[in-house]
């Protein structure tokens, strides 16, 4: 009898051991079979980091299966990479597990044909899925005010964590664009912590980043090769779309000039703006559309044909003494140089009978100003603006900067009647923000008033 009890106990132990081994095998196959950090903590319980790593791993498996060309754009994770040049840490979730409940990836939209099976597969794996769509601005124009709907974002939720997928589209100015994330009526506002998402508060514009495939926390992940550069672009990526609806209303009241002279100026101005952008990019000098060129973009999504010049602004802190040399090498001749670096500097170049005016802006407390000089009298003028930040926009198939507070900027220069064309414009008296600023001493004119 005792022998039978021992046999029964032994059999029971074997059964229990078998069940335990099957349980361990289940967890191994589900969580640990892929290379990466140990998914179970020392206590045998899943931690928050474990669940976040598992969520990212499962997303990347799905992305690989459906050939999504995604790369890491999460700002928190990328900052960790930027501060760890070796990109190597101990074997645990160091980069992909953060204190935030979100992780952001970007997708080159032109490299992936939209496949709804991806979302179905994600749901099958346990993800809650939210797809956000919007109008395609590449198809918008003054004739067609809205394009077809395109996917802008995927939000995938699992274990309380959100994977944000940002669609990046190529634009005609040879840059990448993503749209704003806007929730529509009846959408679940509690689906994700939307205020914590890195992308979507506004549209964004980026240069195409070079990518490198690396291993982070045991997972194959593509990341920007120049992480610091991408983070800088992300911080300054806000994009303003042209106001096609308002522009069309304006052109219905004031039809555009289609004369041969106007068409010729349009062609030359486009070439000049592209050349100026290329030249300043080599010097790493940022600029923005100013004066009449900015007004043309804001008011009619184009240049003003009767303006006869191209106007840009540069902060004096970005001035480089080799700007004149660089423009000369690009084929632009210096027409005049007024003022000095310390006060009211202004440069003007000529290319193919079209003038490029560069106004240098000075910061003074709550205001920003640029100067003007009357060559024949030595009189100085000052144009006052409230401080502004810079956003990206597109003009003449070129990615350019404009003041984010564009309406305030335009109103300061042209008053509240900026929407009405003014054919006769006196730069010394017509602007709403012009002030007299004294005289240049006559003995300094040779240095401060140079006309070529």
């Amino acid at each position: 009898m005792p022998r039978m009890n021992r046999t029964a106990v032994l059999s029971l132990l074997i059964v229990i051991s078998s069940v335990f081994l099957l349980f361990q095998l289940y967890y191994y196959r589900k969580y640990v079979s892929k290379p990466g950090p140990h998914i179970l903590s020392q206590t045998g319980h899943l931690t928050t980091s474990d669940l976040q790593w598992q969520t990212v791993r499962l997303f990347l498996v799905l992305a690989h299966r459906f050939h999504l060309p995604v790369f890491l754009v999460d700002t928190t994770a990328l900052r960790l990479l930027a501060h760890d040049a070796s990109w190597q840490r101990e074997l645990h979730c160091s980069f992909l597990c953060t204190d935030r409940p979100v992780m952001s990836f970007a997708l080159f939209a032109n490299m992936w044909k939209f496949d709804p099976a991806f979302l179905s597969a994600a749901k099958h794996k346990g993800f809650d899925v939210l797809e956000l769509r919007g109008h395609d601005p590449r198809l918008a124009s003054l004739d067609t005010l809205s394009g077809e709907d395109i996917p802008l974002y995927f939000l995938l939720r699992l274990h309380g964590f959100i994977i944000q997928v940002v669609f990046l589209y190529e634009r005609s100015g040879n840059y990448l664009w993503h749209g704003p994330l806007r929730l529509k009526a009846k959408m679940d506002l509690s689906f994700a912590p939307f205020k914590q998402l890195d992308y979507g508060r506004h549209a964004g514009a980026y240069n195409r980043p070079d990518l490198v495939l690396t291993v982070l926390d045991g997972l194959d992940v593509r990341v920007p090769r120049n992480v610091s550069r991408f983070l800088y672009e992300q911080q300054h990526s806000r994009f303003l779309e042209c106001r096609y609806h308002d522009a069309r209303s304006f052109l219905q009241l004031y039809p555009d000039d289609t004369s041969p002279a106007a068409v010729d100026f349009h062609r030359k101005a486009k070439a000049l703006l592209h050349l100026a952008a290329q030249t300043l990019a080599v010097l790493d000098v940022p600029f923005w559309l100013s004066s009449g060129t900015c007004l043309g973009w804001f008011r009619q999504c184009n240049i003003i044909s009767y303006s006869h010049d191209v106007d840009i602004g540069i902060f004096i802190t970005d001035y480089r003494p080799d700007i004149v040399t660089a423009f000369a090498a690009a084929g632009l001749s210096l027409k005049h140089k007024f003022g000095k670096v310390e006060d009211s500097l202004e440069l003007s170049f000529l290319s193919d009978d079209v003038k490029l005016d560069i106004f240098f802006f000075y910061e003074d407390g709550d205001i920003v100003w640029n100067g003007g000089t009357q060559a024949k009298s030595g009189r100085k003028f000052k144009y006052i603006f409230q401080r502004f930040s810079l956003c990206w926009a597109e003009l003449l198939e070129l990615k350019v900067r404009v003041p984010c507070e564009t309406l305030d900027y335009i109103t300061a220069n042209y008053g509240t009647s900026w929407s009405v064309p003014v054919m006769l414009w006196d730069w010394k008296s017509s602007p709403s923000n012009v002030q007299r600023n004294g005289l240049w001493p006559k003995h300094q004119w040779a240095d401060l008033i140079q006309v070529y």
Side-chain angles (χ1 to χ4, degrees), residues 38-56:
H38 299 295
I39 194 66
L40 290 177
S41 64
Q42 294 181 351
T43 62
H45 298 290
L46 292 173
T47 66
T48 300
S49 293
D50 298 333
L51 292 172
Q52 189 168 19
W53 180 88
Q54 173 62 18
T55 301
V56 174

Side-chain angles (χ1 to χ4, degrees), residues 372-385:
T373 296
Q374 186 179 32
K376 64 181 181 180
S377 67
R379 292 165 59 191
K380 298 170 61 182
F381 299 87
K382 179 185 286 190
Y383 303 85
I384 307 296
F385 300 85

Side-chain angles (χ1 to χ4, degrees), residues 16 31-32 37 73 82 86 90 99 101 118 150 166 196 246 288 318 379 388 404 424:
I16 293 174
Y31 297 113
V32 195
V73 293
S86 66
E90 298 177 6
D99 295 332
F118 167 76
I150 53 174
V166 185
Q196 296 188 48
D246 294 329
W288 66 91
D318 292 316
R379 292 165 59 191
F388 54 86
C404 298
L424 298 177

Side-chain angles (χ1 to χ4, degrees), residues 82-155:
H83 287 87
D84 189 338
S86 66
W87 294 1
Q88 298 294 327
R89 293 193 178 189
E90 298 177 6
L91 192 60
H92 62 276
C93 199
S94 301
F95 298 104
L96 300 176
C97 299
T98 66
D99 295 332
R100 302 167 63 243
V102 297
M103 183 63 57
S104 298
F105 291 84
L107 166 69
F108 290 139
N110 66 307
M111 297 176 61
W112 185 64
K113 184 177 180 181
F114 181 80
D115 186 355
F118 167 76
L119 297 181
S120 299
K123 293 177 182 178
H124 181 73
K125 292 294 184 180
F127 281 102
D128 297 319
V129 176
L130 182 62
E131 178 189 357
L132 296 115
R133 303 177 71 90
H135 293 307
D136 188 347
R138 299 169 302 174
L139 301 179
S141 67
L142 295 178
D143 299 320
T144 305
L145 296 184
S146 63
E148 63 182 18
D149 275 357
I150 53 174
L152 298 179
Y153 298 91
F154 289 157
L155 297 180

Side-chain angles (χ1 to χ4, degrees), residues 68-271:
L68 271 72
V70 298
F71 61 98
L72 184 68
V73 293
D74 189 86
T75 57
T76 301
L78 291 181
R79 288 191 190 100
L80 292 173
L81 286 177
H83 287 87
D84 189 338
S86 66
W87 294 1
Q88 298 294 327
R89 293 193 178 189
E90 298 177 6
L91 192 60
H92 62 276
C93 199
S94 301
F95 298 104
L96 300 176
C97 299
T98 66
D99 295 332
R100 302 167 63 243
V102 297
M103 183 63 57
S104 298
F105 291 84
L107 166 69
F108 290 139
N110 66 307
M111 297 176 61
W112 185 64
K113 184 177 180 181
F114 181 80
D115 186 355
F118 167 76
L119 297 181
S120 299
K123 293 177 182 178
H124 181 73
K125 292 294 184 180
F127 281 102
D128 297 319
V129 176
L130 182 62
E131 178 189 357
L132 296 115
R133 303 177 71 90
H135 293 307
D136 188 347
R138 299 169 302 174
L139 301 179
S141 67
L142 295 178
D143 299 320
T144 305
L145 296 184
S146 63
E148 63 182 18
D149 275 357
I150 53 174
L152 298 179
Y153 298 91
F154 289 157
L155 297 180
L156 296 89
R157 182 177 63 188
L158 183 66
H159 301 316
F161 295 99
I162 297 293
I163 300 292
Q164 180 184 29
V165 181
V166 185
F167 280 73
L168 293 174
Y169 291 90
E170 290 188 354
R171 297 286 293 258
S172 59
N174 193 30
Y175 63 95
L176 299 174
W177 168 92
H178 70 73
L181 191 157
R182 297 292 180 263
L183 297 177
K184 298 182 180 180
K186 298 182 180 179
M187 280 189 174
D188 183 3
L189 300 181
S190 64
F191 185 90
F194 291 100
K195 292 183 178 180
Q196 296 188 48
L197 297 179
D198 282 335
Y199 301 86
R201 284 183 290 277
H202 48 69
Y206 296 81
N207 295 320
R208 176 180 285 274
D210 292 328
L211 302 180
V212 59
L213 179 63
T214 188
V215 177
L216 299 179
D217 301 334
L219 300 176
D220 292 339
V221 184
R222 286 181 174 82
V223 299
R225 184 181 299 275
N226 191 333
V227 174
S228 297
R229 180 64 186 177
F230 182 86
L231 286 171
Y232 176 83
E233 287 196 28
Q234 194 275 341
Q235 189 177 2
H236 301 88
S237 64
R238 185 180 175 188
F239 181 88
L240 300 181
E241 198 67 60
C242 176
R243 307 179 319 139
Y244 284 114
H245 186 276
D246 294 329
R248 189 166 77 167
S249 298
F250 171 83
L251 292 173
Q252 287 175 343
L253 290 174
Y254 309 101
D256 204 6
D257 186 356
T258 58
S259 66
V263 172
D264 186 54
F265 169 72
H266 185 280
R267 177 186 60 82
K268 292 178 179 179
K270 177 179 179 179

